[in-house]
Amino acid sequence: MEELTTLYRPVGPRELKLIEESGFKRFPKRLAEQPIFYPVMNEEYAIQIARDWNVPASGSGFVTKFSLPAEYLKRYDVQNVGGVVHDELWVPAEELEEFNGHIVGYIEVTRSFYPDKAD
């Protein structure tokens, strides 16, 4: 049995709708101004982005979780972009279809964030 690595991706409502339309099997193609797909290595970092960036930018934020074979992911170096938990992979946009093809199982939504209604 091959070893799997679990990754996370914070998304807004538009990206989540496209994931849903794929049957929760694929991430959508990147836009022209998005040359890199950034899955993150831990849920804590994904929560920070979904809650602190996606909610203000698009009204809601979601954390997705998915797995790929660890052997396949060795082609991508882990990039640290800040603190201890800020590790991510940088997948070139032109490789996203192949990356999607290696997802094992489904993309799950693990957390949802919305604006604080108390304001």
Side-chain angles (χ1 to χ4, degrees), residues 15-33:
E15 188 170 353
L16 182 60
K17 181 162 179 36
L18 295 171
I19 294 166
E20 182 180 6
E21 289 172 0
S22 80
F24 291 93
K25 296 291 279 178
R26 307 183 86 67
F27 289 96
K29 289 182 181 181
R30 309 309 297 148
L31 302 174
E33 66 273 10

Side-chain angles (χ1 to χ4, degrees), residues 6-119:
T6 299
L7 299 173
Y8 300 86
R9 170 98 177 137
V11 300
R14 287 177 40 205
E15 188 170 353
L16 182 60
K17 181 162 179 36
L18 295 171
I19 294 166
E20 182 180 6
E21 289 172 0
S22 80
F24 291 93
K25 296 291 279 178
R26 307 183 86 67
F27 289 96
K29 289 182 181 181
R30 309 309 297 148
L31 302 174
E33 66 273 10
Q34 299 172 318
I36 304 289
F37 175 74
Y38 301 95
V40 303
M41 305 300 295
N42 62 75
E43 190 173 32
E44 181 180 353
Y45 183 26
I47 287 169
Q48 288 178 356
I49 297 168
R51 181 190 59 219
D52 301 341
W53 192 87
N54 290 109
V55 171
S58 57
S60 58
F62 307 91
V63 174
T64 62
K65 173 181 161 182
F66 56 101
S67 298
L68 286 92
E71 187 64 35
Y72 171 76
L73 291 175
K74 286 181 182 178
R75 68 177 57 199
Y76 303 107
D77 293 330
V78 175
Q79 306 291 327
N80 181 273
V81 296
V84 176
V85 300
H86 298 133
D87 289 341
E88 57 191 33
L89 298 180
W90 294 358
V91 179
E94 62 270 13
E95 296 179 23
L96 183 54
E97 278 303 305
E98 179 184 351
F99 182 93
N100 279 331
H102 284 86
I103 294 173
V104 176
Y106 293 97
I107 300 166
E108 303 173 49
V109 176
T110 62
R111 302 287 298 264
S112 302
F113 297 95
Y114 300 93
D116 184 359
K117 301 296 183 193
D119 291 343

